[in-house]
Amino acid sequence: MTVEAALQYLESQHNALIERLRDFIRIPSVSAQKSHAEDMHCCADFLMKTLTDMGLQPRKMPTGGWDVIYAEWLEAGPEAPTILIYGHYDVQPPEPLEPWTRQPFDAEIDEGRIWGRGSADDKGQIWTHIAALEAYFRTAGRLPVNIKILIEGEEEIGSDNLPGFVQQHAEMLKADAVLISDTSQFAPGMPAITYGLRGLCYLEVRVQGAKMDLHSGGYGGAVPNPIHALAEMLAALHDADNRVTVPGFYDDVTPLQDWEREAWSKLPFDEAEYIKMLGIQKLQGEQGFSTLERLWARPTLEINGIFGGYAGPGAKTVLPCWAGAKISCRLVPNQKSADISKKLENHLRALAPETVSMTVEHMAGGEPSAFPTDHPWIKAGERAISKGFGREPVYTRLGGSIPIVQLFSETLGTPVVLLGYCHPDCGAHGPDEFFGIDEFTAGARSNVFMLDEAAHIPSV
Ligand code: BES
Ligand code: MN
Ligand code: MN
């Protein structure tokens, strides 16, 4: 049986697959930093070679930003379904480095885990798909379905160029379903299918006072301080119930469904344990919602960074002439990124005192998404994970964003199946990121089953 042979391959080639994954992780493909341009190209080449060795003819395609890697295998024929597998080869900057207890790009193996930036987000998870495809090619010499693979290099900086690429190549990317492993399990050993992600809008605001920094003794008390102005503006963005004060912010929010509320309340979520893991005193969030509801189904506003004035060592008496902040909102269906961005800007303008002038720069955005859990493709994912992990997945939504997911579903008119394999506290974007070796194994096995399950879903 082809599935058995493919699974056998995963087992016999386990060590070699892990070693190659480590090579992948060792390439510091940090898309946000221009100094890593060479590494970005090197990482793209690594994938080109990987896919070529598998017998595919991959293409490095320009996007206006970092290249996209694309390959397809359509020899299962027009009757068989076509799956588009998406992932990203870029990683977040590892900085700050002090809190890491391992080297971010050594791909050290310890405690049954591979440690390193990008090990979970998203290199290790892409690798579960590469392994599954390779397992079929090296055993059966073919796949049970048609496959298209798109691995981008700009996800961690907002996928600015990908929407244009997807629209331009909509025909090339046409598929019956999109498969993505860039989310997480609900708990270790408790795999999840994610049926909804939050969207995002992001802006940077700057307020300007005097035209130059001033002596805080010589001028302070008579001249406005833009840091004070900004602090007041930012403090006014939430009310006493932790609701966002931007007018119209909640207007388009699709309310949480009763069945979701019920199902999520049954998930084994230990709030005390969560608080301990985070090292906080207590949780804080919108009144009237549980923690999972706040994280998965409610929109939020976060200040990501605040800057201005003197923050160096020692005391410098200065009345700074400007201050700035980076603000993001996580969005839920049916909010629109551009709409919320505009409403936030208008609100900031209304809040800004006359003593400062204000400028706003709008940055990365992405729409929220949600998919029906009873869709045949999602059900196929459920069966695949059940076999791959030996345990049925739970259905979750997640708070993070994958900007292209909603566009895929709109442009291609297909569901997106989010099969998440990494640990929920895998250190993505933070220090000591890891991907469990057993997570890799169960993920790759699930993908093998998924390709087989997919072959039995009629193509539309
Ligand atoms: N893999 C994550 C998305 C994610 C995180 C999904 C947590 C579910 C749970 C992805 O790489 C990511 O970090 N996305 C960014 C998007 C942003 C840079 C536009 C995010 O969510 O902040
Ligand atoms: Mn990711
Ligand atoms: Mn990420």
Side-chain angles (χ1 to χ4, degrees):
M1 211 180 125
T2 53
V3 174
E4 281 311 319
L7 294 174
Q8 202 77 58
Y9 178 90
L10 290 180
E11 231 177 285
S12 67
Q13 295 304 307
H14 177 82
N15 290 345
L17 283 163
I18 294 288
E19 281 313 307
R20 284 161 54 213
L21 169 57
R22 295 177 74 194
D23 290 339
F24 189 21
I25 296 167
R26 285 190 188 105
I27 308 169
S29 46
V30 181
S31 52
Q33 298 171 348
K34 286 278 174 301
S35 57
H36 284 288
E38 265 312 300
D39 300 315
M40 287 300 292
H41 293 303
C42 171
C43 199
D45 288 338
F46 178 91
L47 286 172
M48 289 292 287
K49 180 170 180 339
T50 301
L51 296 169
T52 306
D53 289 349
M54 215 186 271
L56 300 172
Q57 282 117 37
R59 283 191 273 164
K60 215 195 272 186
M61 301 180 74
T63 63
W66 301 118
D67 293 337
V68 150
I69 303 297
Y70 178 77
E72 56 186 33
W73 185 88
L74 305 175
E75 290 165 40
E79 299 304 314
T82 302
I83 294 184
L84 173 64
I85 297 173
Y86 160 90
H88 61 94
Y89 66 86
D90 64 323
V91 302
Q92 285 278 335
E95 292 85 8
L97 297 175
E98 297 74 40
W100 285 79
T101 66
R102 331 251 166 180
Q103 291 302 314
F105 295 109
D106 275 4
E108 185 188 334
I109 294 189
D110 191 23
E111 298 173 17
R113 297 167 166 180
I114 309 179
W115 300 84
R117 170 55 84 235
S119 54
D121 185 11
D122 181 33
K123 289 175 173 173
Q125 302 216 65
I126 294 177
W127 208 250
T128 63
H129 289 281
I130 302 245
L133 296 176
E134 185 175 302
Y136 273 108
F137 280 130
R138 293 278 159 78
T139 53
R142 54 181 290 110
L143 303 174
V145 290
N146 299 308
I147 283 287
K148 300 178 174 182
I149 309 162
L150 187 160
I151 307 176
E152 71 152 318
E154 296 189 309
E155 198 276 343
E156 298 291 11
I157 49 173
S159 298
D160 278 352
N161 294 292
L162 199 62
F165 181 90
V166 170
Q167 267 144 4
Q168 194 186 339
H169 298 286
E171 194 49 41
M172 173 182 91
L173 297 173
K174 212 165 156 294
D176 297 291
V178 182
L179 205 57
I180 303 179
S181 295
D182 192 22
T183 50
S184 64
Q185 300 188 49
F186 179 72
M190 188 181 277
I193 293 192
T194 298
Y195 67 94
L197 291 170
R198 288 197 289 190
L200 183 75
C201 68
Y202 203 119
L203 60 74
E204 179 169 331
V205 57
R206 277 190 181 238
V207 292
Q208 180 85 34
K211 50 180 183 196
M212 73 296 243
D213 281 359
L214 299 165
H215 191 292
S216 67
Y219 296 87
V223 174
N225 184 326
I227 297 188
H228 299 189
L230 183 65
E232 280 172 28
M233 290 161 63
L234 299 180
L237 292 173
H238 291 92
D239 68 13
D241 290 333
N242 294 304
R243 277 174 66 89
V244 177
T245 57
V246 175
F249 188 76
Y250 296 97
D251 280 2
D252 298 322
V253 170
T254 304
L256 188 66
Q257 309 286 302
D258 286 343
W259 71 265
E260 295 182 296
R261 202 160 231 188
E262 202 189 317
W264 299 357
S265 70
K266 291 194 189 120
L267 289 172
F269 179 71
D270 184 337
E271 207 152 281
E273 199 47 48
Y274 188 65
I275 288 172
K276 200 166 133 218
M277 182 273 293
L278 293 168
I280 52 174
Q281 300 304 315
K282 60 184 294 221
L283 292 162
Q284 179 180 22
E286 193 185 352
Q287 286 289 311
F289 296 93
S290 73
T291 299
L292 292 182
E293 289 166 7
R294 288 170 177 171
L295 291 171
W296 296 351
R298 296 300 295 168
T300 56
L301 181 152
E302 297 286 334
I303 296 160
N304 294 248
I306 177 164
F307 32 89
Y310 182 71
K316 174 187 177 185
T317 50
V318 64
L319 197 170
C321 66
W322 67 272
K326 291 181 188 280
I327 310 175
S328 67
C329 296
R330 294 285 168 173
L331 312 174
V332 301
N334 169 52
Q335 292 178 298
K336 298 277 175 297
S337 179
D339 176 58
I340 297 297
S341 221
K342 192 70 211 156
K343 284 177 172 157
L344 173 57
E345 173 176 350
N346 291 344
H347 190 46
L348 288 167
R349 291 203 183 280
L351 288 172
E354 278 172 9
T355 50
V356 291
S357 60
M358 192 192 105
T359 54
V360 162
E361 188 191 341
H362 292 271
M363 294 151 119
E367 305 301 341
S369 56
F371 303 97
T373 50
D374 58 359
H375 194 285
W377 278 95
I378 305 249
K379 287 287 163 206
E382 180 180 315
R383 291 191 295 277
I385 285 196
S386 301
K387 292 186 215 161
F389 278 77
R391 173 169 189 168
E392 270 182 27
V394 291
Y395 281 94
T396 61
R397 278 161 72 177
L398 287 177
S401 311
I402 305 175
I404 206 63
V405 165
Q406 183 57 19
L407 190 84
F408 273 145
S409 102
E410 273 168 31
T411 320
L412 310 174
T414 64
V416 178
V417 189
L418 297 158
L419 305 177
Y421 300 138
C422 68
H423 192 297
D425 308 315
C426 62
H429 296 207
D432 287 345
E433 182 177 348
F434 66 88
F435 193 45
I437 296 199
D438 53 351
E439 292 168 347
F440 167 77
T441 305
R445 284 169 53 84
S446 301
N447 295 341
V448 163
F449 286 117
M450 183 67 193
L451 296 175
D452 181 57
E453 287 289 342
H456 300 108
I457 296 178
S459 176
V460 229

